[in-house]
Amino acid sequence: MVEWSEQERTIITSIFASLDYEDIGPKALSRCLIVYPWTQRYFGAFGNLYNAEAIKTNPNIAAHGIKVLHGLDRAVKNMDNIKATYAELSVLHSEKLHVDPDNFKLLSDCLTIVIAAKMGSSFTPEIQATWQKFLAVVVSALGRQYH
Amino acid sequence: MVKFTEKERSTIRAIWEKVNIDEVGPDALARVLIVYPWTERYFGTFGDIFTASAVLNNDKVRAHGKVVLKALDEAVKNVDNIKKTYAYLSRLHYEVFHVDPDNFRLLADCITIAIACKVKSALDPQVQATWKKFLSAVVDAMNSQYY
C-alpha cells in the first residue's frame, strides 16, 4: 500500500486548495485532446472538436474537465485509500467507456504541465516528485479493474 | 524522417528563444535526479546527489544540465537532420555511459516541465504539441544507435 509522509500530504492538499477546478479542469482536458489527438475518440458525443480553438471553447469538454478535477478531489480526500475510492470509476472506464488505460497517464501529464505553468518556479523538483507520485497512484487505481 | 511545417519550426524557435540554457538546463536535470532517483546511478562521479537539496546545490549537476541543453540547441538548429546530428551522442550514451534509453524520455518530460514553469502560458496546448513532437524526434535520435 502506498505510504504518504506528512510533508507529501501537505504538498498535495495545498496544491489542490490553490486550484480553481473550473479553470484547471477544462485546461487539462482540452490540452490532452490537443496534444494527444487520438484521445478525441472518446468524446464523439461532445460536438465540435475539429481544431484546437473548437476544443478550447467546447462547453462539454469544459464541463467534463471540471468533473475530472472533482474526481481527483476525492482521491485527495482519501489519500490512504485511493484504490478503493476509485474502484467504481475504474470499472466504469473499463467496462462502459472502454478507455485505453494508457490514456490516464497522458491526462495526468497534461495536468502536470498545467499545474507547472500555473505555479512557475514554486513547482520545485521536490513538489514535482510528490505530485507525480500522487498522480501515479491515481492512474494505477484507475487501471486496477481492467482485466 | 520527421517532417516539420514552417509553423512548427517557428513555434520551436520561438519557445527556444525564451529558454535560458543556463537556467533551464540545471533545473531540468535536477528534476530528473529528484523525481526519478534511480537516474542517480549514472552520475557516480558527481559527489552528493542523494537528497533534493544536495542535487539543487551540486555544481556538477548544474554544469551538466547546461551541457545537455546546449546539445538540444544543436537539434533546434538542425531540425531536419536530428538523427544524424545526434548519432555520435547516441553511440556515446550507449557504448560508454550505458544509459537505459527509457531515461531520455524522462529527461524530455522534465525539460518540458521546466520550460512550462518558466514560460507558463506561452506553452499553450498547440505549442506543447509541437514541442513534444520535436522532443520525440530528439529522443528517437538518441535511441537510434542502440541495438
Side-chain angles (χ1 to χ4, degrees):
Chain A
M1 200 193 81
V2 186
E3 302 272 341
W4 301 100
S5 69
E6 268 321 301
Q7 196 193 15
E8 286 172 328
R9 290 173 200 274
T10 306
I11 286 172
I12 297 300
T13 49
S14 57
I15 290 178
F16 272 84
S18 75
L19 297 184
D20 175 2
Y21 291 6
E22 322 250 304
D23 176 50
I24 298 294
K27 280 193 169 126
L29 184 58
S30 57
R31 197 171 276 261
C32 189
L33 293 167
I34 292 167
V35 178
Y36 307 111
W38 58 87
T39 55
Q40 291 165 27
R41 73 188 302 284
Y42 297 113
F43 300 95
F46 277 38
N48 186 357
L49 302 176
Y50 298 136
N51 52 50
E53 278 320 303
I55 292 170
K56 285 199 268 195
T57 53
N58 185 307
N60 293 319
I61 293 294
H64 198 73
I66 297 171
K67 208 168 174 182
V68 167
L69 261 271
H70 282 291
L72 278 173
D73 188 72
R74 284 171 54 208
V76 176
K77 297 198 159 77
N78 293 279
M79 276 175 75
D80 291 311
N81 218 351
I82 295 178
K83 206 151 90 184
T85 306
Y86 272 24
E88 216 180 286
L89 265 176
S90 180
V91 168
L92 176 75
H93 282 75
S94 147
E95 292 184 6
K96 180 147 182 271
L97 305 172
H98 305 298
V99 175
D100 183 331
D102 283 348
N103 293 306
F104 303 140
K105 176 96 185 15
L106 302 183
L107 179 55
S108 96
D109 284 352
C110 284
L111 180 57
T112 302
I113 298 272
V114 169
I115 300 294
K118 176 178 187 297
M119 292 175 65
S121 55
S122 337
F123 194 61
T124 64
E126 293 121 296
I127 289 182
Q128 181 189 336
T130 300
W131 176 254
Q132 289 193 201
K133 174 178 172 177
F134 172 73
L135 285 184
V137 173
V138 163
V139 164
S140 165
L142 270 174
R144 197 72 180 71
Q145 304 298 326
Y146 281 68
H147 293 294
Chain B
M1 197 192 81
V2 184
K3 287 191 157 63
F4 292 96
T5 63
E6 259 326 298
K7 181 146 191 263
E8 287 171 333
R9 287 162 202 277
S10 61
T11 298
I12 293 164
R13 275 194 301 266
I15 276 292
W16 191 243
E17 247 149 57
K18 298 188 160 70
V19 171
N20 178 345
I21 286 177
D22 289 341
E23 223 180 83
V24 173
D27 184 24
L29 186 57
R31 282 177 197 278
V32 172
L33 290 165
I34 291 167
V35 180
Y36 310 110
W38 59 87
T39 55
E40 287 160 8
R41 72 189 304 285
Y42 297 116
F43 300 98
T45 56
F46 277 32
D48 186 1
I49 45 171
F50 305 118
T51 61
S53 49
V55 168
L56 291 166
N57 289 306
N58 187 303
D59 287 334
K60 290 187 170 167
V61 170
R62 195 167 303 128
H64 196 72
K66 295 180 193 176
V67 165
V68 168
L69 270 249
K70 282 205 179 80
L72 201 54
D73 187 55
E74 289 300 306
V76 174
K77 294 192 166 87
N78 293 280
V79 282
D80 291 311
N81 219 347
I82 299 177
K83 204 147 118 179
K84 203 157 161 216
T85 307
Y86 271 38
Y88 159 72
L89 268 175
S90 176
R91 225 169 10 252
L92 182 73
H93 283 72
Y94 171 53
E95 288 178 9
V96 177
F97 302 134
H98 306 296
V99 174
D100 184 329
D102 280 347
N103 292 304
F104 303 139
R105 186 183 43 87
L106 303 182
L107 176 55
D109 285 351
C110 284
I111 290 172
T112 305
I113 289 175
I115 291 178
C117 288
K118 185 87 198 351
V119 309
K120 299 193 176 192
S121 57
L123 192 76
D124 72 26
Q126 295 103 306
V127 172
Q128 182 189 336
T130 300
W131 179 250
K132 278 193 83 78
K133 175 178 172 177
F134 167 69
L135 281 187
S136 303
V138 168
V139 166
D140 273 349
M142 282 303 288
N143 274 275
S144 66
Q145 303 298 320
Y146 278 68
Y147 291 107

